[in-house]
Amino acid sequence: MKKFRKVLDGLTTSSPGATVGSPSCGSAAGTPTAAPTPKEIDVQETLVSENFQLCKTVRHGFPYQPTALAFDPVQKILAIGSRSGGVRILGRPGVDCYCQHESGAAVLQLQFLINEGALVSACADDTLHLWNLRQRRPAILHSLKFNRERITFCHLPFQSKWLYVGTERGNTHIVNIESFVLSGYVIMWNKAIELSTKTHPGPVVHLSDSPKDEGKLLIGFESGTIVQWDLRGKKADFRIYYDEAIHSVSWHHEGKQFMCSHSDGSLTLWNLRNTTKPFQVTFPHGKIQKDARKESCKPILKVEYKTCRNSEPFVIFSGGLSYDKAGRRPALTIMHGKAITVLEMDYPIVEFMVLCETPYNNEVQEPYAVVVLLDKDLIVVDLTQSNYPVFENPYPMDIHESPVTCTAYFADCPPDIIPILYSIGAKHKKTGYSQKEWPISGGTWTLVRNADRNTDDPSLTPPMLYKMKTSKVFEKPKPGEGRAAELVEEDPFAIQMVSWCPQSRMFCVVGISAHIILYRFSKYDANTQIVSLEVRLQCDSDDVISPSENENNPSFSEPGSHSPQPHHQHQHPASPGSRTPEGIKDSIPCLKVKDRAVRVPPGYQSELVIQLLWVDGEPPQQITSLDINSAYGLLAFGNCYGLAVVDYLQKTVILCMSTLDLYGSTDPYQRLTRSPRRNRQSTSEFCMRGLSNFYSDSKKRIRTSYQSKICLKLNYIPLSVPCSAGKPRIPMGPEGPRLTRRGPGRPPFRKAQSAACMEISLPVSHTEESRENSFTRSRSSSVSSIDRDTKEAVTTLQFGESYGRKNDVLPTPCLWVGTSLGVVLLIPMSIPTDQEERMEEPVTMGVSGAVLMLKGSVLRFSFLDCMGALIQPPYEVWRDHNAPEDPDRLRRRKLVHFSPSSSQDACGDGHLAVVCSERQAKVFLMPSQSCLFVHNITESSFVLRADVVSVCNSVCLACFCANGHVMTLSLPSLRPLMDVNYLPLTDMRIARTFYFTNGGQALYLSSPTEVQRITYSQEMCDNLQEMLGELFTPIETPEAQNRGFLKGFFGGNAHTFDREELFGEAAAGKASRSLAQHIPGQGGVEGMKVAASGVVGELARARIALDERGQRLGELEERTALMMTSAEAFSKHAHELMLKCKDKKWYQF
């Protein structure tokens, strides 16, 4: 615990390292100003470095670029491998584990050690890994790296400790699972085929043991050669040479037949009695053409041949469709008897697996479901019903249904919001799912709640509560109509940022087409007329306006006015028919709002749509900042040109002003409005300003590439010109700027974003990356360059109770505005308090408030009282506007205010303002505006995301930098508490979606389809193990069916086959050391013993306990060791007693 006291008696603090000529922190105009009265700030900080630790918790979503699939039929768990080396293991909802290979090599194949709590993964770097699943965080026990051959296929028989590994050279090696070393027993390709064969059979594509005799190994080569190898006799029983390449093989459970899938779209059925030719050849989707020839079909990549006890067998395969129909979707075909069902999929099929009742391959399989792994989805089909319905997926795997563009994370939500969202969202779910339970039901998970700890449990699989489409507000654009198609090359309805107030349930969405949609929540459906406001927040590009003309412009209030009036020139009435004046040709919005009453279901219902307008052929620039306050009834947003504030209760625009005009006479740089520069290309340097000044060459390349994707091209319209409605102008000719709007000097609209709003940028196409990456100009934040480029974007906004001026005695509603030049503006507001007056009287705003300075673009505001507690913004308690009215009760707004003076009994009036920019953080004392603490967060990089969050009953400032560092700073002293080099900025997606929240949690989009949750709280890291689910649960292995005397007598001696006698070192010798290298894993000695005992199956399974460090100890092994120690001690004492009493007579006792 540390106590900070700072006496503010005539103290003036200037910005350390600030630009020459910049004003001090304590004064708006650079004049030293003393605090009104001496005050003592007494804040007891409880956070220390030991409270912080960074670690990953869980990952949600669909595995990105999946490559492999495996299922344990006894444990009922599923494993999915990906191209990036990740492995997701899924069980019942809540049991979800993510593992990552350190090499990052793609996962080629996965094999469960069935009911043993282990998993074998084969990767593209020709390495085998053995994972221990008997701990909540799986770890690698062994690895085996092949040096001279490439792995193509693996097969592990049930209840066997010997793994068959096929290679690209056509050889088959055998690996001992216990020791993870190669056996000396090798099946060479030249011995498997006949000596007379002159061609190489190709890589091994299939390995399986015969259900009839485990001593027979079926080897499938890519060229079409199939060999059944007698493991005992070390010779081939038969060889099959087929003309078409083989993709997969599947046995009949009796071991007398097997089926192959081929590259020509055919299925061949082979009988072991006659292997000279196939017993049956079928082309399931090949039709006979007029010339009696079969039409060509696509390859059948995999086939499964499963038998049923009371019906015809199932033949399930992927692929095989004919080539003649272009655009056909990928399909899974189910053949059951004479019935053929084709299930078309939305995405390509990566892998599928049939789930059967028994793990034994020599019993009737009884398939009940088929798991289909698609490129972007996971589907489970119910085979027990004739219409083959799919199971409802309980995992949140469809977050990538449309590309994710932004995220928001709320940890402390009101307890009633989640049930109501779930109940309403459930009404919109699809129907027709299978009524049976989800078949992947393995593992155990128990919700642990600690009474004195209020943390969000990361192991709970979050269900999809609610979905809505913002495009329903607009009319569908017709081809060639409107300007939305010209603006964006992607979806014109794409979402850039969201703002949500859980208490009032107000929801706001910002779209890429420069539009904002405001939603209210209601439990009742309604017929509503969507109200639309059209705002002209853009400056004319070619009008030369002098300062004198600016003063005489009637469309703006005086800069120092406290009550500016709504600008009717900027606001178009909300009636459906009101559009832009006919005199201004291009003053139209990008999208057309529905002008008719629409029926909206319960849930979030659109109340207001705000759209920015085109101005003289120039598109509206994208919105870079947004804030909404339900208590004030106001919505503020800004872009590169300026700021607009909308009263959504009265549906009016109360402020629309350029950023430069917000300063009035308090401009710290004393800039003058000026006409556009002649050289329009040079203004692109502004996009790079406000983030950092000096970088190494490599960092500069990364940064400039990044900025070219997210910053705003401001070559044509100077911000120094006031944002007036302007007079009607004659459009320029073809040689004017319209021809160059999409030329090389101007990027498309979809990249037009502020440099400081990195989290809302959208991905760009690869065709433009080369052009964007070529931009390598350095930036300068000197006064002279700022004077040259007066464009200043609004980067962050925050409503709250504060002090707009130094001489204010009581807090009033204020709007805090942060810009890309590191300037903070305070705009005090006057809001009527009476409900009736609030709906009639206008809200007034004074735009000449205080000015504070920081280095870099301003990212975040937050407010603390003088005791260091977080001050929440005021809000309106939710009430349903569509609820039936009660005549006996007035419907009044219920507002909740958190005034800074409400908790100031000890310190008097005032509060602390925390301001964080890309380069530094400052804490100001309000209303004196004195800078108490300053911390330069980074000099070589820049902050991407910053949030003031609550951790361990205190608050801190959490920052994520572009160099991958995650940092936390104490408040208010800004003392560094944690600095971890966690994740380098290798993808703009991470910067766009990184989000901190309370409770020491954060998340980001780790891939286009997955959300990674992390924690930076030591308490949550310590308790993470007990929050995660158990992947392995002790289950008795089902007993094999009694084969009967006759079947056992005539069916071979499969059960007497001893692989240890053939593959062990005594019989087969040692393998060549240069062939493969054994690499010990990090699983620990205890985990190795547990896995080894599980593989052999010689020890009884015991429940594994988990200590604080996550290491698992075998209870049975511990008890055995204690008993052995006790037995040795007892034997020793007994022997000593025997020696002592050996020569004694009976009477000496």
Side-chain angles (χ1 to χ4, degrees):
M1 183 177 296
K2 195 171 183 180
K3 181 180 291 187
F4 290 89
R5 287 186 173 89
K6 195 155 189 177
V7 179
L8 305 175
D9 189 6
L11 180 65
T12 303
T13 307
S14 60
S15 175
T19 307
V20 178
S22 64
S24 65
C25 295
S27 174
T31 304
T33 303
T37 57
K39 285 192 176 104
E40 185 179 88
I41 304 301
D42 187 1
V43 178
Q44 293 184 349
E45 297 186 356
T46 59
L47 291 178
V48 293
S49 299
E50 288 72 17
N51 295 124
F52 295 93
Q53 181 183 349
L54 191 67
C55 68
K56 295 181 180 180
T57 54
V58 291
R59 181 173 292 205
H60 305 300
F62 182 77
Y64 183 57
Q65 295 180 335
T67 55
L69 181 69
F71 182 73
D72 189 327
V74 179
Q75 288 290 320
K76 305 288 185 182
I77 57 177
L78 185 78
I80 302 175
S82 67
R83 189 173 300 175
S84 61
V87 178
R88 282 281 294 280
I89 304 175
L90 303 172
R92 66 177 70 248
V95 179
D96 188 340
C97 180
Y98 175 77
C99 312
Q100 176 67 44
H101 294 90
E102 293 183 0
S103 63
V107 179
L108 298 180
Q109 193 176 354
L110 296 172
Q111 283 276 332
F112 274 106
L113 278 67
I114 297 177
N115 203 27
E116 299 289 351
L119 175 71
V120 175
S121 60
C123 297
D125 59 351
D126 306 312
T127 306
L128 297 174
H129 303 277
L130 177 63
W131 293 84
N132 179 20
L133 306 184
R134 296 195 174 206
Q135 55 193 50
R136 299 196 181 190
R137 283 188 173 275
I140 294 179
L141 299 176
H142 302 280
S143 297
L144 188 64
K145 169 71 174 176
F146 280 74
N147 297 323
R148 295 184 297 182
E149 298 192 53
R150 307 210 64 178
I151 300 173
T152 56
F153 195 86
C154 298
H155 171 64
L156 180 66
F158 180 44
Q159 294 182 329
S160 170
K161 68 176 183 180
W162 298 96
L163 174 71
Y164 302 109
V165 180
T167 66
E168 192 177 32
R169 293 186 179 181
N171 303 325
T172 302
H173 301 274
I174 302 173
V175 179
N176 188 312
I177 292 296
E178 288 182 349
S179 58
F180 232 60
V181 296
L182 280 175
S183 168
Y185 194 110
V186 183
I187 304 175
M188 305 299 291
W189 68 270
N190 52 0
K191 294 184 179 180
I193 65 175
E194 292 180 345
L195 297 177
S196 59
T197 306
K198 298 181 180 180
T199 58
H200 191 279
V204 176
V205 296
H206 177 80
L207 292 169
S208 62
D209 52 333
S210 170
K212 187 177 180 180
D213 187 356
E214 294 179 351
K216 310 289 186 180
L217 182 66
L218 193 69
I219 307 174
F221 298 93
E222 187 181 53
S223 63
T225 302
I226 301 176
V227 177
Q228 179 169 288
W229 185 262
D230 186 356
L231 295 172
R232 302 184 190 87
K234 300 182 180 180
K235 61 179 182 179
D237 288 343
F238 62 83
R239 299 178 178 90
I240 297 174
Y241 301 97
Y242 197 67
D243 296 336
E244 296 295 334
I246 293 177
H247 286 280
S248 68
V249 181
S250 182
W251 278 98
H252 188 278
H253 79 276
E254 294 180 350
K256 299 177 181 179
Q257 294 178 341
F258 61 86
M259 183 174 291
C260 301
S261 66
H262 301 278
S263 58
D264 62 345
S266 64
L267 296 174
T268 57
L269 184 64
W270 299 84
N271 196 313
L272 298 188
R273 294 183 179 180
N274 182 12
T275 58
T276 57
K277 62 179 181 178
F279 176 75
Q280 183 180 359
V281 179
T282 58
F283 288 83
H285 297 292
K287 299 179 181 178
I288 300 179
Q289 299 177 348
K290 295 181 179 180
D291 54 356
R293 291 184 357 185
K294 289 278 186 181
E295 62 179 345
S296 58
C297 297
K298 299 178 182 178
I300 297 179
L301 302 179
K302 184 177 181 180
V303 64
E304 292 269 15
Y305 187 23
K306 301 298 180 182
T307 55
C308 300
R309 195 178 306 276
N310 300 320
S311 63
E312 296 290 330
F314 279 92
V315 177
I316 304 174
F317 60 90
S318 61
L321 299 177
S322 59
Y323 282 105
D324 58 347
K325 295 183 180 180
R328 293 191 65 173
R329 295 192 294 178
L332 182 77
T333 305
I334 302 176
M335 299 173 61
H336 190 205
K338 296 182 179 180
I340 301 179
T341 304
V342 179
L343 304 179
E344 290 189 341
M345 304 296 170
D346 295 330
Y347 307 103
I349 298 176
V350 176
E351 176 70 283
F352 75 90
M353 182 168 290
V354 180
L355 310 186
C356 302
E357 296 288 350
T358 176
Y360 298 94
N361 64 346
N362 58 356
E363 297 178 358
V364 179
Q365 299 297 291
E366 292 291 344
Y368 60 89
V370 54
V371 180
V372 187
L373 179 63
L374 305 179
D375 187 52
K376 294 183 179 179
D377 201 359
L378 179 69
I379 294 176
V380 182
V381 181
D382 187 358
L383 295 179
T384 60
Q385 302 183 38
S386 58
N387 58 341
Y388 303 126
V390 299
F391 291 89
E392 185 177 4
N393 195 330
Y395 315 121
M397 287 193 169
D398 55 351
I399 60 175
H400 61 283
E401 186 176 357
S402 60
V404 179
T405 55
C406 69
T407 60
Y409 191 13
F410 301 89
D412 300 326
C413 295
D416 59 336
I417 188 67
I418 294 180
I420 189 64
L421 284 175
Y422 183 79
S423 61
I424 291 181
K427 298 177 182 179
H428 303 288
K429 287 186 177 180
K430 298 178 181 179
T431 58
Y433 291 111
S434 174
Q435 299 300 318
K436 294 190 176 182
E437 293 184 359
W438 180 252
I440 307 169
S441 58
T444 57
W445 179 78
T446 305
L447 180 61
V448 179
R449 288 296 185 193
N450 194 336
D452 59 353
R453 190 174 73 245
N454 185 19
T455 56
D456 186 19
D457 198 323
S459 63
L460 179 61
T461 302
M464 187 69 70
L465 296 178
Y466 184 78
K467 272 197 287 190
M468 65 178 181
K469 293 184 178 180
T470 61
S471 59
K472 293 183 178 180
V473 177
F474 304 99
E475 300 283 359
K476 292 183 179 180
K478 298 179 181 179
E481 180 181 306
R483 295 299 182 96
E486 300 178 26
L487 289 177
V488 290
E489 299 175 9
E490 290 136 351
D491 192 346
F493 309 110
I495 297 172
Q496 282 186 302
M497 67 177 80
V498 296
S499 178
W500 184 48
C501 178
Q503 289 79 14
S504 63
R505 303 184 187 179
M506 299 292 294
F507 186 64
C508 202
V509 173
V510 175
I512 192 175
S513 298
H515 65 272
I516 301 174
I517 310 175
L518 180 64
Y519 292 90
R520 281 188 184 270
F521 185 83
S522 176
K523 296 188 293 185
Y524 304 92
D525 56 356
N527 288 322
T528 181
Q529 180 78 40
I530 303 175
V531 181
S532 175
L533 284 179
E534 296 173 352
V535 180
R536 183 187 177 100
L537 187 59
Q538 191 150 341
C539 307
D540 294 332
S541 57
D542 296 315
D543 288 340
V544 179
I545 299 180
S546 63
S548 60
E549 291 176 347
N550 180 32
E551 294 172 359
N552 298 327
N553 192 339
S555 62
F556 278 94
S557 305
E558 290 296 322
S561 174
H562 290 264
S563 57
Q565 298 299 320
H567 306 288
H568 298 286
Q569 294 92 336
H570 297 265
Q571 175 194 353
H572 297 265
S575 60
S578 63
R579 307 298 293 172
T580 59
E582 296 181 359
I584 303 177
K585 183 178 181 180
D586 282 336
S587 290
I588 60 173
C590 303
L591 301 171
K592 183 180 180 182
V593 181
K594 292 181 178 179
D595 56 359
R596 62 185 183 278
V598 293
R599 182 84 173 174
V600 289
Y604 275 99
Q605 302 168 354
S606 58
E607 177 176 325
L608 177 66
V609 177
I610 305 169
Q611 292 184 279
L612 300 185
L613 299 175
W614 284 65
V615 176
D616 297 320
E618 290 295 328
Q621 300 302 332
Q622 295 182 16
I623 297 167
T624 58
S625 56
L626 170 74
D627 191 38
I628 182 174
N629 190 278
S630 57
Y632 301 156
L634 299 179
L635 183 151
F637 62 94
N639 64 3
C640 68
Y641 292 123
L643 170 69
V645 180
V646 174
D647 185 345
Y648 66 80
L649 296 179
Q650 299 184 17
K651 309 296 189 296
T652 58
V653 179
I654 61 176
L655 180 70
C656 185
M657 189 174 290
S658 69
T659 312
L660 187 57
D661 288 302
L662 293 175
Y663 292 100
S665 60
T666 60
D667 185 5
Y669 298 108
Q670 300 300 316
R671 291 165 291 184
L672 296 176
T673 55
R674 58 179 62 204
S675 59
R677 252 184 325 204
R678 296 180 181 178
N679 185 7
R680 295 174 176 175
Q681 302 295 329
S682 62
T683 57
S684 59
E685 294 183 3
F686 166 75
C687 301
M688 308 294 290
R689 182 176 297 110
L691 295 171
S692 64
N693 297 328
F694 304 101
Y695 295 91
S696 63
D697 292 339
S698 59
K699 290 182 179 179
K700 186 181 295 184
R701 283 193 297 269
I702 295 174
R703 184 54 189 268
T704 51
S705 171
Y706 178 72
Q707 288 300 315
S708 62
K709 295 181 182 180
I710 62 175
C711 65
L712 208 347
K713 200 77 170 182
L714 303 174
N715 298 351
Y716 296 92
I717 303 172
L719 192 58
S720 58
V721 181
C723 297
S724 62
K727 55 191 175 187
R729 300 173 51 211
I730 301 174
M732 298 187 66
E735 68 280 356
R738 296 191 184 187
L739 286 180
T740 62
R741 186 170 67 243
R742 294 299 299 275
R746 181 180 178 88
F749 177 81
R750 66 192 181 99
K751 298 195 296 299
Q753 300 191 17
S754 164
C757 292
M758 288 153 281
E759 65 272 21
I760 62 172
S761 63
L762 295 178
V764 297
S765 60
H766 295 288
T767 58
E768 294 169 344
E769 271 189 21
S770 59
R771 181 181 64 198
E772 293 167 346
N773 292 341
S774 63
F775 182 75
T776 58
R777 295 175 185 169
S778 61
R779 299 173 298 160
S780 172
S781 59
S782 63
V783 177
S784 59
S785 63
I786 292 178
D787 189 50
R788 289 195 306 268
D789 293 330
T790 58
K791 303 167 184 64
E792 187 174 6
V794 177
T795 56
T796 184
L797 297 165
Q798 179 70 54
F799 286 105
E801 299 284 325
S802 185
Y803 302 87
R805 295 169 182 83
K806 289 186 177 183
N807 55 0
D808 288 350
V809 179
L810 295 177
T812 59
C814 291
L815 175 62
W816 286 64
V817 182
T819 72
S820 57
L821 296 184
V823 179
V824 178
L825 300 168
L826 276 75
I827 303 178
M829 302 180 295
S830 177
I831 302 176
T833 56
D834 184 74
Q835 181 172 350
E836 295 181 358
E837 293 181 356
R838 177 65 184 86
M839 301 303 297
E840 297 176 359
E841 298 294 329
V843 176
T844 58
M845 306 182 70
V847 297
S848 60
V851 176
L852 309 174
M853 294 293 299
L854 286 87
K855 292 192 300 183
S857 297
V858 182
L859 299 180
R860 192 67 56 207
F861 298 122
S862 188
F863 310 119
L864 309 177
D865 60 24
C866 290
M867 299 299 294
L870 186 64
I871 301 176
Q872 300 291 344
Y875 63 87
E876 176 189 2
V877 178
W878 174 76
R879 58 192 178 98
D880 200 332
H881 288 253
N882 296 332
E885 295 187 5
D886 188 356
D888 299 332
R889 193 162 116 191
L890 294 176
R891 301 181 61 183
R892 301 185 63 86
R893 300 176 68 210
K894 183 179 179 182
L895 306 182
V896 178
H897 289 272
F898 299 92
S899 176
S901 60
S902 61
S903 60
Q904 307 304 317
D905 297 337
C907 299
D909 297 340
H911 71 89
L912 303 177
V914 181
V915 186
C916 184
S917 71
E918 294 175 320
R919 302 292 297 279
Q920 64 178 189
K922 290 185 179 182
V923 176
F924 297 92
L925 176 64
M926 306 300 292
S928 66
Q929 302 174 16
S930 300
C931 183
L932 300 183
F933 302 97
V934 182
H935 178 74
N936 292 322
I937 300 175
T938 176
E939 294 294 341
S940 60
S941 185
F942 53 96
V943 178
L944 294 171
R945 181 79 193 185
D947 290 289
V948 175
V949 293
S950 60
V951 180
C952 299
N953 299 321
S954 187
V955 292
C956 68
L957 176 63
C959 302
F960 173 60
C961 298
N963 57 8
H965 284 249
V966 176
M967 292 178 281
T968 57
L969 306 174
S970 66
L971 290 176
S973 65
L974 298 178
R975 176 170 44 91
L977 297 174
M978 182 188 71
D979 188 352
V980 179
N981 188 4
Y982 169 67
L983 185 70
L985 184 63
T986 57
D987 199 324
M988 299 309 113
R989 175 184 61 251
I990 299 173
R992 191 177 65 245
T993 57
F994 203 98
Y995 204 99
F996 291 101
T997 190
N998 296 328
Q1001 299 188 70
L1003 62 74
Y1004 61 92
L1005 206 66
S1006 58
S1007 71
T1009 61
E1010 293 173 288
V1011 172
Q1012 177 66 57
R1013 292 167 65 181
I1014 64 174
T1015 180
Y1016 47 93
S1017 169
Q1018 178 67 50
E1019 182 184 13
M1020 180 167 285
C1021 290
D1022 294 340
N1023 296 282
L1024 183 60
Q1025 293 292 337
E1026 66 184 43
M1027 297 177 182
L1028 299 177
E1030 293 268 5
L1031 294 174
F1032 176 80
T1033 54
I1035 300 175
E1036 291 294 331
T1037 303
E1039 295 184 359
Q1041 295 180 359
N1042 189 3
R1043 303 180 66 195
F1045 175 76
L1046 294 178
K1047 286 187 177 181
F1049 186 78
F1050 295 104
N1053 54 348
H1055 291 281
T1056 61
F1057 177 63
D1058 188 0
R1059 295 183 177 89
E1060 183 68 30
E1061 294 182 358
L1062 291 176
F1063 308 145
E1065 185 177 338
K1070 294 184 179 181
S1072 173
R1073 293 185 178 181
S1074 61
L1075 184 60
Q1077 177 187 0
H1078 176 261
I1079 304 172
Q1082 302 296 327
V1085 177
E1086 292 82 4
M1088 294 170 64
K1089 291 180 180 178
V1090 171
S1093 61
V1095 173
V1096 181
E1098 297 173 350
L1099 301 178
R1101 297 181 180 87
R1103 183 70 182 219
I1104 307 302
L1106 186 64
D1107 58 5
E1108 283 188 1
R1109 298 182 180 274
Q1111 295 179 346
R1112 306 173 63 83
L1113 301 175
E1115 295 178 359
L1116 182 60
E1117 190 173 355
E1118 283 185 353
R1119 294 175 183 176
T1120 303
L1122 291 175
M1123 291 175 63
M1124 290 179 61
T1125 304
S1126 178
E1128 290 177 0
F1130 180 82
S1131 175
K1132 181 179 179 180
H1133 290 309
H1135 183 69
E1136 291 176 355
L1137 184 61
M1138 184 270 294
L1139 294 177
K1140 182 178 179 181
C1141 302
K1142 180 179 180 181
D1143 297 331
K1144 288 187 178 182
K1145 302 299 182 180
W1146 61 273
Y1147 53 83
Q1148 293 177 337
F1149 287 97

